[in-house]
Amino acid sequence: MASKPPSQFSPSNVTVPPSPRTARTLRKFQSHQTLYSSYSSISGQQQQPSNDSSPSRTSGLDSPFDARAQSPTATRPRRRTRSNSDASVTASSAVHQTPKRPARKTGSGIGLKRSSLENLLRDGPPNGDVSGGLKELRYLVLSSRVDADSDGMSPYRIYLWLALLDIPPLPTDEYLSLVHRGRSPAYTKIRNDTFRTLATDPLFKRRVTEASLIRLLNAVAWKLHDAKTGTTSSRPGSRRRELELAIDTPPVIAEEPSGEIPEVSFGPPVNFSQTAVYVQGMNVLCAPFLYAARSEVEAFALFHYFITKECPGYIRGAMDGVHKGLKLVDRCLELVEPKLAKYLFSKGMYAELYAFPSVLTLCACTPPLPEVLHLWDFLFAYGPHLNILCIVAQLIRMRDTILKSPSPNKVLRSFLPLNAKEIIALTVLLVRDIPDDLYQEMVDHAK
């Protein structure tokens, strides 16, 4: 740091020769804040009396600049100046010493070009063709991955999931009303699970707090509890918003291949009498929603819709949907990889012994989390039932290791790290080998 100015320093001798260190060296080793504070204290102690009593002159904030403004050599209008140690440096040399600022990047810069997937989400389907737009959206998910950083974060992934699952906007007040109700009947069970949710994943721990996970699961538990008991906690404002959405965007009823027209309703057609308020494993299934969402309300809307519409069988008391999925894993593996299946069955290794977490959580239990998000892009585009074949694909990737191991149970304690691209490619190939009746069982197993 430059030596302390002499005690005779006053506003009249600001033109003293510069110190041996130049302004460039000072700027290199001292921040503007350090210089500012040091000269503010000096000028505050040795400031000469002034007849000007205006607030701008008497404030301590302007004191380092007042000395220069009162100097006879100050002929320029008052502006932000250099430090006093740099007073004698000429303007031309100061220009050469000041580094140029890099040009600011704008939204239209090179490298910020939006992908076709993002453009479709932003602009909507061409000519208002919702059905055609959804088909194109699914194809783009399959052909080109969602743009994301190394942490798996994407600015538009959550909107992609909302569009693919056809989830309307949820009023924030509806979520807050559930949160403000306090502890649900499943609160103790939730607290016993949340602290160990993806406990070894630093990305998840850095972005999602346990408090956020507790709030969301507790709100969902209240929602399921109300559905079971036949009560409702929705406010009139939320019901009005639901009606407005129904008027503005009427649902399109498409004829199914069987000729039957499905019932259209805004509530999931689920019998909640046997639905559990909370089952172990829901915390892990909820985790990717919270990680990818931009707010808890979005995560709540997605998670609640998913467990009540897409896989209500997973949250029933007996979890019969999960057990059906495990049997389907064995049947599909026996069909596409008979040698591997025969070897596992001979060792007593059925899917219920090693694949229960993968079925229940849609492979969210297998790291890394960014690859889980890419896999979920595919599952939400073409159906969560394909998770059964994604598990079979993971077993095929481990095929050689399993066949060489005398104890495959040790190998299957933990699957290989997820590689969404390879698993999706293999799953697409496996679909062609699945008979129609077995495929339909896959579609219906979680209902």
Side-chain angles (χ1 to χ4, degrees), residues 200-241:
T200 59
D201 195 316
L203 294 179
F204 179 77
K205 289 298 182 182
R206 187 169 61 202
R207 181 172 175 82
V208 180
T209 64
E210 184 183 359
S212 177
L213 194 59
I214 292 171
R215 280 194 299 269
L216 193 149
L217 289 171
N218 197 66
V220 170
W222 273 124
K223 192 81 171 177
L224 296 176
H225 175 269
D226 293 343
K228 282 190 70 172
T229 58
T231 59
T232 178
S233 62
S234 60
R235 298 183 178 182
S238 64
R239 292 196 296 268
R240 177 182 176 182
R241 176 60 178 162

Side-chain angles (χ1 to χ4, degrees), residues 123-310:
D123 302 335
N127 303 321
D129 183 8
V130 178
S131 178
L134 283 174
K135 289 181 180 179
E136 184 178 357
L137 201 61
R138 295 187 185 100
Y139 173 76
L140 289 174
V141 169
L142 184 61
S143 60
S144 58
R145 284 160 56 110
V146 172
D147 292 334
D149 58 21
S150 58
D151 292 346
M153 301 308 301
S154 170
Y156 62 89
R157 168 176 276 130
I158 197 67
Y159 305 111
L160 172 67
W161 291 0
L162 290 167
L164 290 173
L165 296 177
D166 193 21
I167 300 177
L170 176 75
T172 304
D173 287 348
E174 183 175 338
Y175 175 69
L176 292 178
S177 66
L178 294 169
V179 172
H180 291 160
R181 290 171 66 178
R183 300 183 177 186
S184 70
Y187 181 79
T188 303
K189 293 181 180 179
I190 292 171
R191 288 301 304 268
N192 288 336
D193 288 342
T194 51
F195 73 93
R196 55 189 173 211
T197 303
L198 303 185
T200 59
D201 195 316
L203 294 179
F204 179 77
K205 289 298 182 182
R206 187 169 61 202
R207 181 172 175 82
V208 180
T209 64
E210 184 183 359
S212 177
L213 194 59
I214 292 171
R215 280 194 299 269
L216 193 149
L217 289 171
N218 197 66
V220 170
W222 273 124
K223 192 81 171 177
L224 296 176
H225 175 269
D226 293 343
K228 282 190 70 172
T229 58
T231 59
T232 178
S233 62
S234 60
R235 298 183 178 182
S238 64
R239 292 196 296 268
R240 177 182 176 182
R241 176 60 178 162
E242 185 179 51
L243 181 60
E244 290 173 351
L245 288 170
I247 296 172
D248 295 339
T249 56
V252 179
I253 303 178
E255 186 176 357
E256 295 291 328
S258 60
E260 298 178 358
I261 298 179
E263 179 185 358
V264 177
S265 64
F266 287 92
V270 178
N271 182 7
F272 287 99
S273 59
Q274 299 179 353
T275 299
V277 174
Y278 176 82
V279 296
Q280 190 175 19
M282 284 174 63
N283 56 314
V284 180
L285 184 61
C286 173
F289 289 114
L290 266 175
Y291 184 83
R294 301 171 74 92
S295 70
E296 287 183 26
V297 180
E298 292 174 338
F300 170 81
L302 277 162
F303 181 62
H304 178 261
Y305 171 89
F306 187 78
I307 61 176
T308 57
K309 185 74 172 180
E310 297 292 340

